[in-house]
Amino acid sequence: MAKYSHIESALIHGGIYGDPLTGAVNVPIYQTSTYEQQALGQNKGWEYSRTGNPTRAALEALIAELEHGAAGFAFASGMAALTAVLSLFSQGDKILISQNVYGGTFRVLDKVFKNFGLSYSIEDTANAETLADKITPEVKAILIETPANPLLTVTDIKAVADLTKARGIKLIADNTFMTPYLQNPIDFGADIVVHSATKYLGGHSDLVAGLAVVKEKELGEKIAFIQNATGGVLGPFDSFLLIRGIKTLGVRMDRHAQNAERAALYLKSHPAVKRVYYPGLEDAQGYAVNKRQAKNGGAMISFELTEKYDVARFFSSLRLIALAESLGGVESLACHPATMTHASFPEKIRQEIGITDGLIRLSVGIENIEDLLADLEQAIERSGE
Ligand SMILES: *Cc1c(COP(=O)(O)O)cnc(C)c1O
């Protein structure tokens, strides 16, 4: 019989558990760059820590298990993970990306990969019918985020996977917002899952890391080659911290989502609020699709205040919730996508995809919900004075 069959246990016991040498319940931090070899051509499976490190390997085995993939890879940041994945493609290839993907994903395609002849276009991946027509022969992959940042647009993973499978191209899913606790894109047909582990997986706003998981071994061999060749690997100490963070992912996500649901309902009923974006609200875009592919609506909310309220004043009036980039930590954060996370989008594209100057994004933390609602209440009140 298997030792466990539920993700809550896999978060704690998955991958490579503990240390066989000493019985330590935690994987040690192998703070080493190299490994002594027994003789020419003989070693204990480790040669150099860019290629492989036991602490990183434990993390990589863990994320592969959690995302139901064949292999996992740990990188120095989410962008390093995405860069490694995009390095699978060649000059002349094209990638389709979801509208309102993470600003850095757009930037690396627009300002780095474009120079190497890899092109991209921004598409409404939530609409599988119109998306099908965009898959021209040079398109080699579709990169989706669901829910996408910052309007929480839901894409039907299976509907897009049906398209990519039929055309023999790859589906890449950035699962940062949901985490493997709430959503497993590989189960719905994704070929590669990417995470900014800086966010919920780490969970404590104390590290920057990225992960990639592949569905099939063959693609894993290609990414392992790129990881070693380009070298954006995660260090042993941060690998340890990330394993530590992942152990509590389940309890954190339950509370995050519970708080977010309350906050979304509160904002929705507030007369100062024009619009709320949260995939856990029954009248939200993609509510039914999200319900099918994810455990709940997650813990990211965006909203707009009516014109009478001053957004800058709202941010400066917050007392408990911090004005900051990033998301997914235990503490609640608020940000202004138009000038922060999505500033790398040209104004015209930003307007087209609905990232208005009045948009506020909340990463709902795990504090007491009454304290969070009280902070929102007083900040909204002040912003209307
Ligand atoms: C933060 C983020 C990234 C980039 O990850 P870093 O760890 O900051 O490099 C990519 N995708 C999404 C959805 C993110 O939120």
Side-chain angles (χ1 to χ4, degrees):
M1 211 182 85
K3 246 170 40 175
Y4 54 83
S5 51
H6 295 93
I7 186 163
E8 290 84 351
S9 312
L11 292 168
I12 298 159
H13 296 272
I16 296 164
Y17 182 80
D19 175 32
L21 193 66
T22 61
V25 295
N26 289 301
V27 174
I29 304 168
Y30 283 92
Q31 197 70 43
T32 189
S33 61
T34 190
Y35 308 81
E36 188 177 349
Q37 311 198 3
Q38 285 65 60
L40 281 180
Q42 250 186 61
N43 60 56
K44 297 182 174 174
W46 309 97
E47 292 169 71
Y48 187 59
S49 279
R50 168 158 37 72
T51 321
N53 174 281
T55 317
R56 194 178 91 219
L59 168 65
E60 293 176 330
L62 176 60
I63 193 64
E65 179 177 332
L66 297 177
E67 281 291 12
H68 308 166
F73 302 91
F75 295 91
S77 68
M79 287 320 303
L82 277 156
T83 296
V85 168
L86 293 171
S87 302
L88 288 165
F89 302 96
S90 307
Q91 187 176 23
D93 291 350
K94 184 176 176 182
I95 315 275
L96 306 184
I97 60 174
S98 294
Q99 271 178 350
N100 56 71
V101 286
Y102 179 69
T105 304
F106 166 77
R107 182 174 55 197
V108 78
L109 280 163
D110 190 59
K111 296 283 191 291
V112 180
F113 282 97
K114 207 166 80 181
N115 300 335
F116 294 88
L118 178 67
S119 65
Y120 72 92
S121 72
I122 301 171
E123 304 296 347
D124 179 8
T125 57
N127 186 339
E129 274 153 45
T130 55
L131 189 62
D133 297 335
K134 304 288 164 51
I135 309 177
T136 50
E138 67 274 22
V139 173
K140 294 290 153 42
I142 301 182
L143 194 167
I144 60 167
E145 263 179 48
T146 180
N149 194 4
L151 296 179
L152 290 316
T153 318
V154 173
T155 286
D156 185 333
I157 305 170
K158 184 170 178 306
V160 180
D162 288 346
L163 291 178
T164 55
K165 274 210 195 83
R167 307 290 183 100
I169 64 171
K170 301 285 179 241
L171 173 58
I172 305 162
D174 182 330
N175 202 27
T176 301
F177 273 34
M178 279 312 196
T179 82
Y181 182 70
L182 299 183
Q183 175 172 276
N184 290 118
I186 286 177
D187 292 353
F188 296 93
D191 299 287
I192 305 175
V193 173
V194 183
H195 283 282
S196 169
T198 311
K199 317 293 167 57
Y200 292 107
L201 292 173
H204 297 75
S205 306
D206 55 6
L207 76 110
V208 173
L211 297 168
V213 176
V214 292
K215 183 181 184 177
E216 276 157 16
K217 203 167 151 264
E218 202 190 333
L219 200 52
E221 280 159 15
K222 288 186 184 161
I223 297 201
F225 180 85
I226 292 168
Q227 185 190 39
N228 183 49
T230 60
V233 294
L234 190 65
F237 184 70
D238 284 348
S239 296
F240 166 83
L241 272 183
L242 191 44
I243 293 170
R244 186 187 204 271
I246 289 172
K247 287 182 198 288
T248 58
L249 182 69
V251 285
R252 283 187 287 110
M253 290 315 287
D254 284 345
R255 171 70 85 89
H256 274 298
Q258 197 187 325
N259 279 356
E261 277 162 29
R262 282 278 307 277
L265 288 172
Y266 159 81
L267 289 167
K268 196 168 147 49
S269 66
H270 201 296
V273 176
K274 191 157 79 181
R275 203 165 163 185
V276 180
Y277 300 90
Y278 178 63
L281 289 173
E282 281 178 31
D283 57 355
Q285 175 277 343
Y287 171 77
V289 172
N290 187 70
K291 203 165 176 184
R292 201 158 63 227
Q293 65 194 19
K295 214 174 270 175
N296 57 44
M300 296 299 299
I301 300 174
S302 289
F303 66 99
E304 274 179 272
L305 293 172
T306 62
E307 280 74 18
K308 263 183 39 217
Y309 294 80
D310 184 299
V311 176
R313 219 180 144 100
F314 170 82
F315 283 112
S316 57
S317 304
L318 289 168
R319 290 184 189 143
L320 179 63
I321 303 169
L323 169 62
E325 301 251 6
S326 200
L327 60 110
V330 289
E331 64 286 296
S332 295
L333 304 177
C335 98
H336 185 232
T339 58
M340 294 168 74
T341 52
H342 289 68
S344 56
F345 282 85
E347 158 109 37
K348 187 168 159 285
I349 296 184
R350 240 180 12 240
Q351 294 303 333
E352 271 169 26
I353 58 187
I355 303 172
T356 61
D357 292 341
L359 192 73
I360 296 164
R361 189 187 80 176
L362 277 185
S363 170
V364 183
I366 64 171
E367 299 95 337
N368 183 288
I369 186 63
E370 303 303 337
D371 289 336
L372 293 177
L373 298 185
D375 196 33
L376 289 171
E377 180 71 32
Q378 64 84 21
I380 291 173
E381 211 167 286
R382 284 177 171 227
S383 67
E385 276 165 11

